Amino acid sequence: MLEIRNLVCRYGKVTALKGISLKVERGQMVALVGANGAGKSTTLRAISGLVPAAGGQILFDGEDITRASPARILGKGIAHCPEGRRVFGQMSVAENLEMGCFLRSDGKGIAADMAHIFEQFPRLAERRRQIAGTLSGGEQQMLAIGRAMMSRPKLILFDEPSLGLAPNIVEQVFEIIQTIRAAGTTVLMVEQNAYAALEMCDYAYLLETGTMALEGTGQALIEDPHVHEAYLGGGLSH
Amino acid sequence: MDQLLQHLANALIMGGTYALLGIGLTLIFGIMRVVNFTHGELYALGAYMMYFVANMLGLNFFLAIGFAIFAGLVLGALIELILLRPKRTADIDTTMLLMIGAWIVLQNVETLTWGSVAKSIPSPLPTEPLVIGPVSLSWLRLLVLGLALALIAATYALINRTKLGKAMRATFQDSGTAALMGVNINLVYTMTFALGSSLAAAAGALLGPVFVVTPTMGDLASLKAFAIVILGGLGSISGATIGGFILAFVEELGAGYISSGYRDAMGFIIIILVLLFRPTGLFARVERIG
Ligand SMILES: Nc1ncnc2c1ncn2[C@@H]1O[C@H](COP(=O)(O)OP(=O)(O)O)[C@@H](O)[C@H]1O
Ligand SMILES: [Mg+2]
C-alpha cells in the first residue's frame, strides 16, 4: 500500500534521511523504531508532504506522491497523528475534530463519524465544548487520534503516541491503536517505547541516524541481540 | 461635562475605523508573522478609490465604498503573491525590509497618480448636524461609525463562522498541523493578506470623506495601526478592536484637554508606554484569533 524507495531528506546541511526504503502492506501494523534523532519523525513528515524529499520516491497505492501537497496526500487517505499531539489548543474539542475532516463535505458522514468518536472516547464527549488546551495530556492524545480518524484514512501515521503519558494511559492509547487497526485501517507507528511497538506490530524497521539498520517481524527484532542490547535495555525481557 | 460628552462621542466614532485598521494589521501579523508597513498605503488606496469613484466617476457613495474595499482586496492579494510568497521561508527581518520598500514605492505611485494636492470628497448626507442635548454629530460621521461596526461584525463572523475563518485560526495556532488537516496554507496566507488589506482600504474609504485625501495620509494611519495592535497584543483581534477605541479616546482627550497638537502624538506615547510597562499588550493573557 505504501512504499518508500531510497528516500533522502535534508534540513539545510543536515541529512536526516540517507536513502531509506520501507513497505507497508494493506491491513498491517508496521512499527518504525530507533533512537532520538534517528529520523523517524522526518520519515512520517516526508510521507505527509511536510518535508520535501531531496531524493527517492514515495508511492501510495502505486501512485507517486513524493511531491504532492499535504492536502492531496491527506485526500488520498493518509492521516498523520503528529508527535507531541499538536491539538489546536485554542479551539474546542469539537472544533478540533472538525479540523480533522477539513477536506470532507459529506455532512451526514461527518456527523456519524463524530458520534462514533465520541462513543469511543466518552471523555471527549463530556468535554466537547471545552478548549483543547485545557485537556490533560492523555485526553489531548485521544483528541489527536480522533482528529486523525475524522478524515476516514486508509493509512494512519502515529508519531510517538505514548510520549509523555502516564503508564495506564499509554496502555489505553495502544489499545485504541489496536482497535483502529482491527477495524481495517493500516497503521504505521513510530515509537521510542520499542518493546511495546515491536510486540504489537506485524513488521518493523529499525532506523539508525538516517539509515535503515534492520527490518523483520516484530518478534525477530525483539530477539535480535543488537536490538535487545541497544533498544530494549539489555536486561531480561520486560 | 458637556464638552466631555462631545469628546466621548467623537472618540466613539473614530474608534470604529481605528478598530478596522488595527484588526487588519493584527490578522496579518498574527497569521503570517509579517510586519506590514504597506498597511497605511492600503488605507490611502481606499481613500483615493473613494475619491475616484464617487467624485471623478460620479457614482454612488456606497458603491464607491464597496469598490474601495474590493481594490484593497486585490492589491493585498497581489502584494502577497508577488512579494511575500517567494519569501515564505525568509525570516521576519527580510519581509520587514521588503514591506518597507513596498511602502515607499506605493506612496510614490500615489503621488505620481494623484498629485500632492489634498483632495476632498463631499458627503452625500445633510450637512446640518444631529444635535442630541449637548452633543452635536455630523450625519456623515454617524454613517462612518455604522459602516465600521458592520464591517467589524462581518470580519468576526468570517473568522468564527466560516470554513476559511477556521482555516485561518488553525494556521494561526499551528501552521504545520493545519497543513496536515488539509488546509492550503498558501491560500490562507493570500486570503489573510487580502482581507487585512481590504480592512485598511475600508478604513480609508470611510475616513476619506471625513478628512481630506493626501498621498502621505498612510504614514500616520500605519503608525496608528501599529499603536492599536501593540496596545491590544499582537495577533489578538479582540485586542485590536478594543485597542482601536482606546486610541481614539486617548487621542480625543489628549487633543481636548492637553493641546490639539498632541492628537497624533498620542499614538507614539501609547506605543512607548505599552512597550515599557506591558510589552505583551494590555489584554494579552492568551493570544487568540477570534
Ligand atoms: N526542523 C529541523 N531543522 C533542522 N534539523 C532538524 C529538523 N527536524 C529534525 N532535524 C534533525 O534531523 C534529524 C532527525 O530528526 P527526527 O526525524 O525528528 O528524529 P526522530 O523523530 O527519530 O527523533 C535529527 O538530527 C534532527 O536534529
Ligand atoms: Mg520524532
Side-chain angles (χ1 to χ4, degrees):
Chain A
M1 165 179 244
L2 179 79
E3 186 177 356
I4 296 179
R5 294 180 187 155
N6 298 316
L7 178 66
V8 178
C9 284
R10 295 201 182 93
Y11 296 104
K13 288 198 175 70
V14 182
T15 305
L17 297 178
K18 303 166 185 162
I20 64 155
S21 299
L22 74 76
K23 253 187 190 174
V24 180
E25 303 292 352
R26 190 176 303 279
Q28 272 189 334
M29 168 162 344
V30 172
L32 181 58
V33 296
N36 216 343
K40 306 181 298 295
S41 297
T42 304
T43 308
L44 297 194
R45 291 165 63 80
I47 297 171
S48 293
L50 287 181
V51 175
Q57 254 190 330
I58 304 170
L59 304 173
F60 184 62
D61 282 338
E63 190 182 340
D64 191 334
I65 56 163
T66 319
R67 273 167 241 305
S69 69
R72 255 203 70 213
I73 293 167
L74 178 67
K76 295 257 166 255
I78 304 180
H80 184 151
C81 185
E83 183 174 351
R85 310 184 270 273
R86 307 289 282 267
V87 297
F88 295 106
Q90 296 165 22
M91 290 187 183
S92 70
V93 167
E95 278 183 303
N96 265 276
L97 293 176
E98 285 163 23
M99 281 311 298
C101 54
F102 189 78
L103 292 179
R104 289 173 61 185
S105 50
D106 55 322
K108 277 200 185 123
I110 290 172
D113 288 357
M114 182 105 61
H116 179 68
I117 282 173
F118 282 141
E119 218 169 90
Q120 231 179 330
F121 304 105
R123 294 183 69 82
L124 295 183
E126 290 160 23
R127 290 165 174 71
R128 71 173 74 198
R129 300 266 153 258
Q130 195 172 320
I131 296 301
T134 63
L135 299 176
S136 72
E139 289 159 357
Q140 289 191 7
Q141 186 62 61
M142 307 294 172
L143 179 57
I145 295 174
R147 184 181 64 181
M149 290 307 291
M150 284 302 289
S151 67
R152 281 199 187 171
K154 297 182 203 156
L155 167 65
I156 181 162
L157 314 175
F158 287 106
D159 196 344
E160 311 245 15
S162 72
L163 194 71
L165 299 181
N168 61 322
I169 310 282
V170 169
E171 217 164 284
Q172 275 182 39
V173 167
F174 286 149
E175 268 169 34
I176 290 160
I177 293 174
Q178 276 167 315
T179 313
I180 288 170
R181 182 272 176 93
T185 309
T186 309
V187 173
L188 174 57
M189 178 165 73
V190 161
E191 258 298 333
Q192 272 206 63
N193 188 345
Y195 189 78
L198 293 176
E199 236 192 352
M200 264 192 287
C201 70
D202 302 300
Y203 203 76
Y205 291 85
L206 171 66
L207 199 54
E208 281 182 341
T209 54
T211 45
M212 219 47 109
L214 206 60
E215 63 171 276
T217 61
Q219 200 53 41
L221 259 70
I222 290 176
E223 285 161 11
D224 183 273
H226 170 64
V227 174
H228 200 258
E229 185 61 37
Y231 298 96
L232 302 177
L236 296 171
S237 71
H238 294 229
Chain B
M1 184 63 203
D2 289 357
Q3 210 191 353
L4 180 66
L5 281 177
Q6 180 69 51
H7 284 310
L8 293 180
N10 293 347
L12 185 66
I13 284 168
M14 287 306 291
T17 38
Y18 282 4
L20 274 183
L21 205 55
I23 292 169
L25 190 66
T26 216
L27 262 178
I28 291 170
F29 180 80
I31 293 176
M32 306 176 66
R33 300 279 134 181
V34 168
V35 183
N36 179 20
F37 284 103
T38 68
H39 207 61
E41 298 318 308
L42 269 298
Y43 169 86
L45 172 85
Y48 276 113
M49 282 302 127
M50 192 70 197
Y51 171 76
F52 176 69
V53 177
N55 280 36
M56 294 174 68
L57 301 183
L59 296 176
N60 176 283
F61 188 83
F62 295 96
L63 192 73
I65 293 176
F67 192 83
I69 293 174
F70 180 71
L73 214 58
V74 172
L75 182 61
L78 287 176
I79 291 174
E80 203 285 324
L81 287 171
I82 296 169
L83 295 178
L84 293 171
R85 183 167 293 192
K87 294 282 168 215
R88 180 73 82 237
T89 52
D91 56 20
I92 195 167
D93 305 344
T94 310
T95 56
M96 212 187 295
L97 286 174
L98 207 59
M99 290 294 98
I100 290 174
W103 164 27
I104 295 167
V105 170
L106 287 171
Q107 191 164 106
N108 281 297
V109 170
E110 273 150 31
T111 312
L112 275 175
T113 314
W114 307 104
S116 49
V117 180
K119 313 270 191 231
S120 69
I121 304 164
S123 160
L125 298 174
T127 43
E128 82 272 18
L130 171 71
V131 180
I132 312 165
V135 179
S136 129
L137 298 166
S138 81
W139 287 102
L140 176 66
R141 285 183 180 237
L142 282 171
L143 174 70
V144 163
L145 176 64
L147 289 174
L149 292 178
L151 286 168
I152 292 170
T155 306
Y156 271 85
L158 178 101
I159 286 164
N160 292 314
R161 302 259 177 274
T162 69
K163 197 156 180 174
L164 172 65
K166 200 188 280 171
M168 287 167 68
R169 284 183 289 139
T171 307
F172 170 73
Q173 291 175 40
D174 183 340
S175 60
T177 306
L180 281 182
M181 304 295 118
V183 173
N184 181 340
I185 304 294
N186 277 331
L187 184 64
V188 167
Y189 282 166
T190 307
M191 299 296 268
T192 299
F193 205 91
L195 173 65
S197 298
S198 76
L199 292 177
L206 293 178
L207 289 186
V210 174
F211 304 117
V212 289
V213 186
T214 68
T216 51
M217 68 189 287
D219 296 349
L220 211 50
S222 274
L223 169 77
K224 290 183 182 185
F226 280 112
I228 292 161
V229 167
I230 289 169
L231 192 64
L234 297 171
S236 163
I237 293 186
S238 46
T241 312
I242 302 168
F245 284 97
I246 292 181
L247 178 66
F249 279 103
V250 172
E251 277 188 3
E252 184 67 29
L253 298 179
Y257 294 102
I258 303 175
S259 149
S260 61
Y262 275 83
R263 177 181 292 275
D264 293 331
M266 298 318 275
F268 281 110
I269 295 172
I270 283 186
I271 290 183
I272 292 165
L273 290 180
V274 172
L275 289 181
L276 278 179
F277 297 109
R278 257 206 88 119
T280 50
L282 287 190
F283 324 102
R285 228 175 305 130
V286 281
E287 280 192 5
R288 168 142 211 232
I289 284 244

